[in-house]
Amino acid sequence: MIEVVNRLGFPVMALMFGMTVTACSEGGSEPVPVDTRTPLERAEAKIAPDAVMLMDKADYSKTYAKLGADQFNRANNLTRWAAVAAAEAPNCERVELIGLSDQSTRTELQWYVDCPNDVRVNIYQSHAEDRQKAYGGATEENPKGE
């Protein structure tokens, strides 16, 4: 090796070494995958398949009586969007369970969302409605979500 350095000179050897290192580092790298999902698809991917369960009048008669028919139905319609809102929260890695909070009233719904590591997120009706509108979901004003 010393003979090669003496013949070619140190600058030439340094240049060849630098080209070898660059070629090795560029040639073996894997392309970084690009996430082509929409923001809604990314959020929904963070919701466990069995996390969102809708209520029926027979099994949730006390909740139905407390909220009234309109707000009870609104709670069911917005539960998915409340889950999406929680999935977008920075402190919730994954939505494991969502339920209507006992704090819900005829004028304001509230959900609790259980995430990993004992993290619980509270989502309010206005936040769920905001997610619904942002993603073009059906609303009372726009039943087809168009």
Side-chain angles (χ1 to χ4, degrees), residues 82 85 103 108-111 122-130:
Q103 304 299 313
E108 178 70 27
L109 298 170
Q110 183 178 339
W111 292 265
N122 292 311
I123 301 294
Y124 295 90
Q125 181 174 337
S126 59
H127 199 181
E129 289 172 340
D130 177 59

Side-chain angles (χ1 to χ4, degrees), residues 78-145:
L78 288 173
T79 297
R80 170 186 178 230
W81 298 108
V84 168
E88 292 178 339
N91 59 336
C92 186
E93 297 173 17
R94 179 170 173 76
V95 173
E96 294 179 338
L97 176 71
I98 182 169
L100 192 65
S101 170
D102 291 339
Q103 304 299 313
S104 296
T105 66
R106 287 180 183 247
T107 57
E108 178 70 27
L109 298 170
Q110 183 178 339
W111 292 265
Y112 63 86
V113 181
D114 290 338
C115 306
N117 301 323
D118 296 325
V119 173
R120 179 166 272 189
V121 177
N122 292 311
I123 301 294
Y124 295 90
Q125 181 174 337
S126 59
H127 199 181
E129 289 172 340
D130 177 59
R131 297 294 80 208
Q132 181 185 38
K133 289 176 186 171
Y135 292 121
T139 63
E140 289 177 16
E141 302 83 32
N142 181 9
K144 293 184 180 182

Side-chain angles (χ1 to χ4, degrees), residues 7-25:
R7 282 190 203 162
L8 298 174
F10 184 76
V12 173
M13 284 301 295
L15 180 63
M16 290 174 58
F17 178 75
M19 289 172 39
T20 304
V21 170
T22 303
C24 289
S25 66

Side-chain angles (χ1 to χ4, degrees), residues 35-97:
D35 190 349
T36 59
R37 298 176 296 176
T38 66
L40 178 58
E41 290 170 336
R42 282 194 294 276
E44 287 180 327
K46 291 176 59 178
I47 301 170
D50 58 348
V52 177
M53 295 184 298
L54 301 181
M55 303 176 294
D56 61 52
K57 183 179 174 181
D59 292 335
Y60 291 87
S61 59
K62 289 181 183 178
T63 303
Y64 185 88
K66 178 182 176 182
L67 298 179
D70 288 343
Q71 193 72 324
F72 185 86
N73 292 332
R74 189 172 293 115
N76 274 333
N77 291 334
L78 288 173
T79 297
R80 170 186 178 230
W81 298 108
V84 168
E88 292 178 339
N91 59 336
C92 186
E93 297 173 17
R94 179 170 173 76
V95 173
E96 294 179 338
L97 176 71

